[in-house]
Amino acid sequence: MNHLNALRRKLQKKKSKFIAEHEFKGADVLQLSREELDNAVELNKIISVMLHGKLQFPAFQFDSDGHVYSALQDYLPRLLEARSNWDICFWLFTVQSITLKRAIPNAAMLRGISIEEMVELGKQAAEQTERYAGKPIDAATSGNSEVFAACVEHLLNPDYRVIPHN
């Protein structure tokens, strides 16, 4: 039981830190009707958390017009079906390092060449491989939906994610 209590304390500390570092909005300040908001919450198209007994909405998910960023809105149903609202909040602000496209030397090119040439081809492939190192929220809010989609797939299907080749 002490182990569970320690985990609860750790989670509460993480939530408290997150709350201190981010702005949250109440339903009354959102540019959605009550019906639209209820539908968005029910359909997992918006992140909501309980704070002090009230449903609150992290401000980082809204663009300057008060709408949920489209990349987030497209993927939130899948994300929130698989993880909790808090997990998604934490994940969005955790730096990820993922491969977007992988360059692979042609196997036929490797026949009959020296080890040094193989190493050079490997270096070239590594240089041509595209990676993203950053927070998923940055990809979502910058409109880079391809990178955000890769972040989502990396979270939900890390062992089965198909990485395209250059």
Side-chain angles (χ1 to χ4, degrees):
M1 194 60 156
N2 285 339
H3 182 66
L4 284 177
N5 287 337
L7 286 174
R8 284 187 192 107
R9 282 191 304 275
K10 186 175 181 181
L11 177 59
Q12 189 54 48
K13 185 176 179 180
K14 190 172 185 173
K15 283 181 183 179
S16 295
K17 185 175 189 272
F18 192 89
I19 291 165
E21 294 173 351
H22 296 90
E23 179 187 348
F24 292 83
K25 296 181 176 196
D28 55 328
V29 298
L30 297 182
Q31 295 182 0
L32 298 169
S33 70
R34 190 66 200 178
E35 184 179 344
E36 290 171 323
L37 185 56
D38 289 344
N39 285 337
V41 169
E42 185 178 330
L43 297 173
N44 288 332
K45 292 204 166 242
I46 193 167
I47 302 170
S48 60
V49 295
M50 290 299 285
L51 293 179
H52 313 294
K54 292 184 180 179
L55 200 57
Q56 297 286 303
F57 305 89
F60 59 76
Q61 67 187 317
F62 302 107
D63 64 18
S64 59
D65 295 328
H67 299 106
V68 174
Y69 285 99
S70 61
L72 269 175
Q73 197 169 54
D74 291 344
Y75 289 97
L76 279 176
R78 282 187 62 209
L79 289 166
L80 294 172
E81 190 174 293
R83 303 285 197 279
S84 76
N85 286 283
W86 278 112
D87 286 341
I88 299 307
C89 287
F90 300 146
W91 170 76
L92 284 167
F93 285 87
T94 301
V95 173
Q96 309 291 306
S97 180
I98 61 171
T99 301
L100 300 173
K101 291 184 182 171
R102 182 179 300 149
I104 299 174
N106 183 333
M109 293 174 59
L110 300 177
R111 293 191 187 115
I113 64 172
S114 69
I115 296 292
E116 291 81 15
E117 291 170 313
M118 281 186 202
V119 169
E120 185 58 34
L121 282 175
K123 285 180 185 177
Q124 289 173 5
E127 289 171 3
Q128 294 172 4
T129 295
E130 292 179 41
R131 292 181 169 70
Y132 174 73
K135 299 174 186 174
I137 191 67
D138 294 335
T141 58
S142 70
N144 198 336
S145 57
E146 184 180 322
V147 170
F148 187 68
C151 290
V152 170
E153 286 305 313
H154 184 73
L155 173 69
L156 299 178
N157 301 305
D159 294 336
Y160 301 101
R161 183 172 158 247
V162 175
I163 301 171
H165 300 288
N166 278 348

